[in-house]
Amino acid sequence: MTRQTEQNRTYDPSKVLPPGAAIGVLGGGQLGRMMALAGSGMGYRFVTLDPTPDSPCGQVADRQIVAPYHDVDAARQLAELADVITYEFENVDADVTKLLMAESYVPQGSKLLYTTQHRLREKRAIEAAGVKVAPYAEIGSVEELREAVRRFGTPCVLKTATGGYDGKGQWVIRSLDEVQEAYDTLSRARTELVLEQFVHFTKELSVIAARSPRGEVKAFPAAENVHVNNILHLSVVPARVPEEVQREAERMALRIAEELDVIGLIAVELFLTADGELFVNELAPRPHNSGHYTMEACRTSQFEQHVRAIVNLPLGDPGLMTPVVMVNVLGEHVQPLLDWIAKPEAEQVPGVTAKVHLYGKQEAKAGRKMGHVNLLATSHEAAFRWIEASKIWDAI
């Protein structure tokens, strides 16, 4: 039995929603788009709520409600149209979440959102699950920050407890001289701050785990992730780490999924140190960028698995069928990618099959995630040869 009591549960372990049911998606971005593409092939219908007309998810869903996320009337409309509701991002308005849980079926519930929306709550929940996180300290004043920096040493990382992604909402403190400026800058967010001891890692890994209301849990193979400018650049699978490290990373993710009573997916990001220790960095209660490789490389994609979990179908086999490198396509890479895939030589790198996914976003801005490419390959080296030959990511 997990830490949650029966009274805290928002899901029904015996409730199964068969194909034909309508799935509501709070959020209309690329994660919702790929979820809808996977689920519609299974026979489910989709309705999404997003403020941007013709959103990536709205382009492929049966219907889009165009309204702000905090619009209670729009949320009520979503509840009326959907048999089950899921979300594709964490920053869901609390009032909207409360309404949806009262008027619709939201098996993911609000407790996990409440936990993962706040870095301090998240770290405490991970520790309570018996899984290690890097040393951290809650910061309430510049004096507390200065004392914690002395204790942890530099570099260390100051973060806002809420908000922030892709490197936003954080400051790498490299000397005591930066303490005042770092505190003044991040405290403007008017939220708690947390200081994390810098982990001298050799690899960044992530594992996507799934859990259904019936209690079934499964984990996808661990991905090795490379970030550039705090944005995920590529994921390498299988991760280039010893097999026992892969197994331990997957075990940690499954334990978190069970102990936090997850329904749907949970992405667990980890640091691997030189001496083989694994520390959890962050959680994301949804499909994740580092799991996009599963779309062609695994027997079941993360998006199909998420749908299976929230409707309480048996979970699919997450097994890996081929080595794969997933590489992100940012705004500055779109035109070079379009030029490259039109050339015959794009398909002539031996041992590589490239699967291109573009998200349907209207404006290609530099640094904005616009798509990804899954390189199914006989080896990682072959995939890297394709990346080098394309010259798309030369600046990186």
Side-chain angles (χ1 to χ4, degrees):
M1 186 65 178
T2 59
R3 300 181 189 281
Q4 284 195 330
T5 64
E6 286 290 335
Q7 291 90 330
N8 285 335
R9 278 187 172 169
T10 58
Y11 58 83
D12 181 351
S14 64
K15 183 174 184 175
V16 177
L17 293 168
I23 298 175
V25 182
L26 196 56
Q30 64 263 25
L31 299 179
R33 176 190 183 92
M34 290 180 275
M35 193 190 307
L37 287 170
S40 60
M42 300 165 65
Y44 291 94
R45 295 175 294 116
F46 283 82
V47 55
T48 183
L49 189 160
D50 192 275
T52 304
D54 196 37
S55 68
C57 184
Q59 293 167 14
V60 300
D62 298 271
R63 181 171 177 179
Q64 177 179 344
I65 300 167
V66 180
Y69 297 126
H70 58 77
D71 188 322
V72 172
D73 290 335
R76 184 168 283 115
Q77 185 181 4
L78 182 68
E80 291 171 353
L81 293 171
D83 298 299
V84 60
I85 291 176
T86 185
Y87 44 80
E88 62 134 31
F89 64 103
E90 293 95 311
N91 296 320
V92 181
D93 183 83
D95 291 336
V96 166
T97 305
K98 184 177 178 181
L99 179 145
L100 291 175
M101 291 182 63
E103 300 190 13
S104 187
Y105 181 48
V106 189
Q108 289 165 282
S110 62
K111 184 172 181 179
L112 185 60
L113 269 180
Y114 176 79
T115 299
T116 57
Q117 284 175 340
H118 193 282
R119 286 188 172 93
L120 286 166
R121 290 195 293 263
E122 179 178 280
K123 290 176 186 298
R124 290 165 185 153
I126 295 167
E127 289 177 315
V131 177
K132 288 189 292 188
V133 297
Y136 67 94
E138 182 175 357
I139 302 300
S141 67
V142 70
E143 291 77 18
E144 288 181 358
L145 176 59
R146 187 170 285 109
E147 188 278 329
V149 171
R150 288 195 180 101
R151 187 168 73 251
F152 287 163
T154 55
C156 51
V157 187
L158 183 66
K159 296 181 179 180
T160 56
T162 60
Y165 63 94
D166 289 344
K168 300 177 177 66
Q170 59 182 266
W171 186 298
V172 178
I173 298 175
R174 303 187 186 280
S175 75
L176 283 169
D177 294 339
E178 296 180 42
V179 165
Q180 187 70 56
E181 186 180 3
Y183 181 82
D184 290 345
T185 301
L186 293 193
S187 61
R188 292 186 194 124
R190 299 186 181 281
T191 182
E192 295 97 328
L193 301 178
V194 56
L195 184 72
E196 298 176 0
Q197 183 172 319
F198 192 83
V199 176
H200 294 279
F201 57 86
T202 58
K203 303 249 185 218
E204 292 183 82
L205 306 177
S206 61
V207 176
I208 314 293
R211 182 175 177 273
S212 68
R214 64 181 75 195
E216 186 181 13
V217 291
K218 291 190 176 179
F220 287 94
E224 174 189 343
N225 300 316
V226 176
H227 290 80
V228 175
N229 297 325
N230 295 306
I231 299 174
L232 181 64
H233 170 43
L234 53 82
S235 296
V236 180
V237 187
R240 295 168 294 182
V241 297
E243 188 174 336
E244 59 268 23
V245 172
Q246 296 184 44
R247 287 198 302 267
E248 177 62 10
E250 291 162 21
R251 186 199 68 78
M252 292 167 71
L254 289 172
R255 183 171 180 83
I256 287 170
E258 291 182 309
E259 293 298 308
L260 271 62
D261 217 12
V262 168
I263 300 297
L265 298 187
I266 185 86
V268 181
E269 299 179 44
L270 306 112
F271 294 135
L272 173 66
T273 65
D275 58 3
E277 272 197 291
L278 284 166
F279 295 92
V280 173
N281 179 30
E282 290 184 342
L283 306 178
R286 51 167 172 77
H288 193 260
N289 193 173
S290 68
H292 292 351
Y293 78 88
T294 64
M295 294 175 74
E296 285 91 14
C298 292
R299 290 183 174 87
T300 306
S301 76
Q302 67 165 339
F303 299 103
E304 179 184 338
Q305 196 79 301
H306 183 74
V307 171
R308 284 180 169 274
I310 63 172
V311 302
N312 209 14
L313 289 178
L315 296 180
D317 180 355
L320 189 70
M321 298 185 293
T322 174
V324 58
V325 174
M326 185 285 301
V327 58
N328 265 331
V329 176
L330 305 183
E332 60 268 34
H333 306 138
V334 172
Q335 193 57 52
L337 173 66
L338 296 177
D339 294 341
W340 167 248
I341 61 176
K343 297 177 180 178
E345 54 264 39
E347 293 300 323
Q348 292 176 6
V349 177
V352 180
T353 299
K355 300 292 185 179
V356 176
H357 298 268
L358 294 175
Y359 303 150
K361 294 182 179 178
Q362 295 176 1
E363 187 177 359
K365 297 179 181 178
R368 186 185 193 193
K369 293 174 185 174
M370 301 298 294
H372 69 272
V373 182
N374 281 337
L375 298 168
L376 313 180
T378 53
S379 68
H380 297 144
E381 291 71 23
F384 292 135
R385 283 196 294 272
W386 190 98
I387 293 171
E388 291 169 6
S390 74
K391 301 188 184 304
I392 295 166
W393 296 274
D394 272 1
I396 293 174

